[in-house]
Amino acid sequence: MNQRRLTAGVLVIGTGAAGLRAAIELAESGQQVLCVGKRRRDDAHTVLAAGGINAALGTMDSQDSWQQHAADTIAEAYHLADPKVVELLAREAPAAIADLVDYGAVLAREPDGRLTQRYFGAHTYRRTCFAGDYTGREIQRTLVRRAAEAGVQMRDDVYVTRLLVHEGRAFGAYGFDVDDGTRQVILADAVILAAGGHTRIWRRSSSRRDENTGDAMRLAADAGCRLRDMELVQFHPTGMITPEEAAGTLVTEAVRGEGGILRNADGERFMERYDPERLELSTRDRIALANYTEIAEGRGTPAGGVLLDVTHLDRETILERLPRMYRQFVDVAMLDITQTPMEVAPTAHYSMGGVWVDAETHQTDVAGLYAVGECATGLHGANRLGGNSLVECLVFGKIVGAEAARWSASLDAQVRDRAVIAAADDEVAELLAQRGGTEFARPLQRAVRDLMSECAGVVRSEAGLAEGLTRLDAVADRLDTMEVRPDIAGFDDLVHAFDLKGSVLAARATLDCALERRETRGAHNRVDFPDQDPALAVNLLWRPDEPVGREAVGDPSPEVAALIAGRDEMPVAGRLLE
Ligand SMILES: Cc1cc2nc3c(=O)[nH]c(=O)nc-3n(C[C@H](O)[C@H](O)[C@H](O)COP(=O)(O)OP(=O)(O)OC[C@H]3O[C@@H](n4cnc5c(N)ncnc54)[C@H](O)[C@@H]3O)c2cc1C
């Protein structure tokens, strides 16, 4: 067995915006940092982000303030966001944008040079900066370049299978090279987990294949961390449904913003029944629920979607205002949206729950282990505001970088537990020994996605969630007979096997927490408990084999609380919600 031993002052797992921002902070403060990912750094999930990134800069609306940004975020989170996390984010967001610009990011500007800011749904003022339709790509490109300049050591080919922990303290991670299978023992003073969310465990997801498979949640839970609010997953109302390999790919909210009309298979403009005033410009959770209901009640298309129609719009308008969507449908589905309505259905879009972290430091339950970005929790509560996640990556990326550096400097000695390394090694060896098994990981992964879509999708119930757990047990039982067969093309099979393990754990945590949240709140709809329950204005805590716990949510500062109390119902026209 080939094994490589690497050492780093701090190990960062994830080369998306969160991991890269943390790594830059570390490198610039003189730390030796290694940043690893399981896919190409220029193609991390962050690249998909389109609409923008928030900060109360006041370049367009000078009345804006960090307090108002915090108030908007807390008010829309259905009382489940951690006010400390939100306020810290809102305060630090302007500096995060300044850093980004300083690193060379090209964001849209007004003719006089000010950064342009646009409205995003539920923000009181214009506070979303953007780079055309490619904000995530621009941020990722900028951070990759800056990290290289700062001397961050980066690897795109390391799949992390386990965090190394001795007596509650992290000392590195174990993994393998996805190309040649070489085992990797990475020893470090501190570890930053920035490995993304778990939205790929639904059949339709706006993530790409093989990312957001719940790895971060499994790594953290196996290391002894608590997960929080795993049931809170944001479903975007409109994802593509065909072809199968593109199912879930986002159909931007701008389509409805430009006048797109939703119809069911009977040709009925059904939003007239769900939200007669705002129609297709209603909020994301309502439209997702409406689309879901039409399909579930048999008024969907034969392929299981509803129709989003822009054919009444002028062709030039479509090409000019929705060029990316026009191209996406031509490229992926050979469909001209100026002529034919798009078929869409809700798609799993964002993990609002994830790894429990301390509000200020983002340290997890394990000393020396931090979590940041989409895998962490606290900011979004039961409903994420568009544009807040990219800035979360930057603000808390910087903070965890500084915290990890401080932790590393405080250590007199670091213990390396050989038994823990051996156990991580055994886990990989056991999977590889499963040649001659009965089935591959992909069909099992598909079974997880099916059961999550059917039992824990946009609308949930006690009976459905219980059925989901039974079906999940059946998948989990088959893990031991899975065939894992790396070949000359690489170790993809081993990657899929570990992706599946992550998905199974993330699915269990989601189902358990969704059962426990016997109410409807934000993105979590329980058909059997259609109202909010004040007793459940709490965060839910999950650990394997333990009953789901509860944690009280703190109060915002008085100035932010006053702004929340004074907030009006907001118009939606002209405001993107992504
Ligand atoms: C279509 C779309 C549009 C969006 N638009 C916006 C927007 O306009 N504004 C906004 O604020 N947000 C938006 N978001 C959300 C935002 O893009 C993400 O929340 C954010 O980019 C997550 O960044 P991250 O660094 O936490 O994780 P990611 O970018 O997902 O990176 C995760 C990293 O972890 C690595 N990794 C995972 N597992 C392992 C493992 N086992 N071993 C090693 N490495 C591993 C991956 O290789 C990757 O490098 C959008 C999301 C989507 C899908």
Side-chain angles (χ1 to χ4, degrees), residues 445-469:
Q445 183 71 264
R446 177 63 170 262
V448 173
R449 290 174 185 162
D450 284 348
L451 76 88
M452 289 305 287
S453 303
E454 287 155 29
C455 305
V458 178
V459 175
R460 298 145 179 201
S461 70
E462 190 95 13
L465 293 165
E467 181 196 324
L469 278 169

Side-chain angles (χ1 to χ4, degrees), residues 123-269:
H123 290 279
T124 304
Y125 298 113
R126 287 173 287 180
R127 66 167 72 101
T128 304
C129 299
F130 58 97
D133 238 3
Y134 293 100
T135 310
R137 185 175 296 276
E138 178 62 13
I139 291 175
Q140 185 73 10
R141 192 179 63 81
T142 303
L143 295 178
V144 167
R145 190 181 53 220
R146 180 70 174 204
E149 286 165 4
V152 173
Q153 214 187 326
M154 273 186 274
R155 293 211 29 205
D156 291 334
D157 53 1
V158 176
Y159 192 111
V160 173
T161 58
R162 198 176 273 213
L163 300 175
L164 300 175
V165 177
H166 173 72
E167 293 181 355
R169 196 160 107 181
F171 68 95
Y174 190 92
F176 63 91
D177 183 313
V178 295
D179 294 323
D180 65 14
T182 306
R183 314 281 173 85
Q184 313 280 329
V185 180
I186 308 172
L187 302 168
D189 288 345
V191 178
I192 295 173
L193 188 58
H198 72 309
T199 49
R200 243 301 148 195
I201 69 172
W202 282 266
R203 181 104 170 241
R204 292 192 186 118
S205 161
S206 60
S207 303
R208 281 164 302 202
R209 242 180 154 200
D210 304 332
E211 59 182 7
N212 284 335
T213 43
D215 301 19
M217 287 84 181
R218 184 182 72 86
L219 292 170
D222 284 357
C225 302
R226 289 170 295 170
L227 304 184
R228 180 166 56 189
D229 291 343
M230 285 293 288
E231 77 286 10
L232 299 178
V233 174
Q234 185 165 55
F235 285 85
H236 193 286
T238 55
M240 294 177 74
I241 60 170
T242 53
E244 180 63 35
E245 59 277 13
T249 304
L250 210 68
V251 176
T252 168
E253 236 128 359
V255 174
R256 284 180 284 116
E258 292 299 334
I261 291 174
L262 283 164
R263 290 204 175 84
N264 59 24
D266 304 329
E268 184 197 8
R269 188 175 188 180

Side-chain angles (χ1 to χ4, degrees), residues 12-20 36-41 43-54 118 120 128 135-136 140 155-161 193-197 199 205-208 210-216 218-219 236 249-250 324 348-351 372-376 380 384-393 498-499 578:
V12 180
I13 304 169
T15 58
L20 288 172
V36 302
K38 67 175 182 176
R39 63 188 298 136
R40 278 186 10 240
R41 71 196 70 157
D43 192 36
H45 180 68
T46 294
V47 168
L48 291 184
I53 175 165
N54 301 332
R118 64 182 171 200
F120 252 24
T128 304
T135 310
Q140 185 73 10
R155 293 211 29 205
D156 291 334
D157 53 1
V158 176
Y159 192 111
V160 173
T161 58
L193 188 58
T199 49
S205 161
S206 60
S207 303
R208 281 164 302 202
D210 304 332
E211 59 182 7
N212 284 335
T213 43
D215 301 19
R218 184 182 72 86
L219 292 170
H236 193 286
T249 304
L250 210 68
R324 195 166 161 172
H349 184 52
Y350 187 85
S351 302
V372 65
E374 191 163 337
C375 69
H380 311 287
R384 175 185 74 105
L385 285 193
N388 267 355
S389 26
L390 286 173
V391 74
E392 174 184 20
C393 292
F498 275 104
D499 282 355
E578 256 136 40

Side-chain angles (χ1 to χ4, degrees), residues 6 30 32 35 45 70 77 88 95 121 160 175 206 214 341 396 431 453 460 468 483-484 502 515 538-539 576:
L6 305 166
Q32 189 226 345
C35 192
H45 180 68
L88 187 49
V160 173
S206 60
F396 287 102
L431 273 172
S453 303
R460 298 145 179 201
E483 168 99 36
V484 181
L515 264 172
V538 291
N539 299 122
L576 291 177

Side-chain angles (χ1 to χ4, degrees), residues 535-552:
L536 279 165
V538 291
N539 299 122
L540 297 182
L541 300 172
W542 187 90
R543 271 204 167 107
D545 307 319
E546 281 184 17
V548 174
R550 295 181 181 196
E551 184 183 44

Side-chain angles (χ1 to χ4, degrees), residues 167-475:
E167 293 181 355
R169 196 160 107 181
F171 68 95
Y174 190 92
F176 63 91
D177 183 313
V178 295
D179 294 323
D180 65 14
T182 306
R183 314 281 173 85
Q184 313 280 329
V185 180
I186 308 172
L187 302 168
D189 288 345
V191 178
I192 295 173
L193 188 58
H198 72 309
T199 49
R200 243 301 148 195
I201 69 172
W202 282 266
R203 181 104 170 241
R204 292 192 186 118
S205 161
S206 60
S207 303
R208 281 164 302 202
R209 242 180 154 200
D210 304 332
E211 59 182 7
N212 284 335
T213 43
D215 301 19
M217 287 84 181
R218 184 182 72 86
L219 292 170
D222 284 357
C225 302
R226 289 170 295 170
L227 304 184
R228 180 166 56 189
D229 291 343
M230 285 293 288
E231 77 286 10
L232 299 178
V233 174
Q234 185 165 55
F235 285 85
H236 193 286
T238 55
M240 294 177 74
I241 60 170
T242 53
E244 180 63 35
E245 59 277 13
T249 304
L250 210 68
V251 176
T252 168
E253 236 128 359
V255 174
R256 284 180 284 116
E258 292 299 334
I261 291 174
L262 283 164
R263 290 204 175 84
N264 59 24
D266 304 329
E268 184 197 8
R269 188 175 188 180
F270 56 83
M271 284 310 297
E272 285 169 353
R273 277 189 278 115
Y274 295 89
D275 192 344
E277 277 175 24
R278 296 185 290 185
L279 297 165
E280 285 81 7
L281 293 179
S282 182
T283 55
R284 182 182 289 183
D285 48 350
R286 282 191 193 207
I287 298 187
L289 187 57
N291 289 356
Y292 171 88
T293 307
E294 291 301 301
I295 298 162
E297 293 183 354
R299 293 183 293 278
T301 62
V306 291
L307 298 169
L308 179 57
D309 191 0
V310 289
T311 58
H312 56 288
L313 299 179
D314 175 58
R315 181 181 161 83
E316 269 317 300
T317 308
I318 295 173
L319 293 181
E320 203 179 292
R321 309 282 301 198
L322 303 167
R324 195 166 161 172
M325 282 301 107
Y326 178 79
R327 193 168 288 280
Q328 178 174 310
F329 274 86
V330 170
D331 287 352
V332 177
M334 285 303 285
L335 187 131
D336 180 351
I337 63 171
T338 68
Q339 304 287 326
T340 314
M342 298 159 251
E343 257 184 290
V344 295
T347 178
H349 184 52
Y350 187 85
S351 302
M352 294 177 289
V355 182
W356 181 95
V357 288
D358 171 74
E360 275 148 20
T361 62
H362 271 36
Q363 191 191 296
T364 66
D365 290 308
V366 171
L369 176 65
Y370 303 82
V372 65
E374 191 163 337
C375 69
T377 51
L379 180 62
H380 311 287
N383 182 37
R384 175 185 74 105
L385 285 193
N388 267 355
S389 26
L390 286 173
V391 74
E392 174 184 20
C393 292
L394 300 187
V395 166
F396 287 102
K398 179 174 171 159
I399 288 173
V400 291
E403 289 296 330
R406 197 168 303 134
W407 169 260
S408 170
S410 75
L411 291 181
D412 291 325
Q414 178 68 310
V415 176
R416 297 165 183 175
D417 187 330
R418 273 181 291 139
V420 169
I421 298 173
D425 191 48
D426 288 347
E427 184 183 27
V428 178
E430 279 163 22
L431 273 172
L432 285 171
Q434 287 184 198
R435 279 167 172 253
T438 50
E439 53 197 330
F440 288 100
R442 281 242 191 255
L444 294 175
Q445 183 71 264
R446 177 63 170 262
V448 173
R449 290 174 185 162
D450 284 348
L451 76 88
M452 289 305 287
S453 303
E454 287 155 29
C455 305
V458 178
V459 175
R460 298 145 179 201
S461 70
E462 190 95 13
L465 293 165
E467 181 196 324
L469 278 169
T470 307
R471 286 166 66 178
L472 188 66
D473 285 342
V475 175

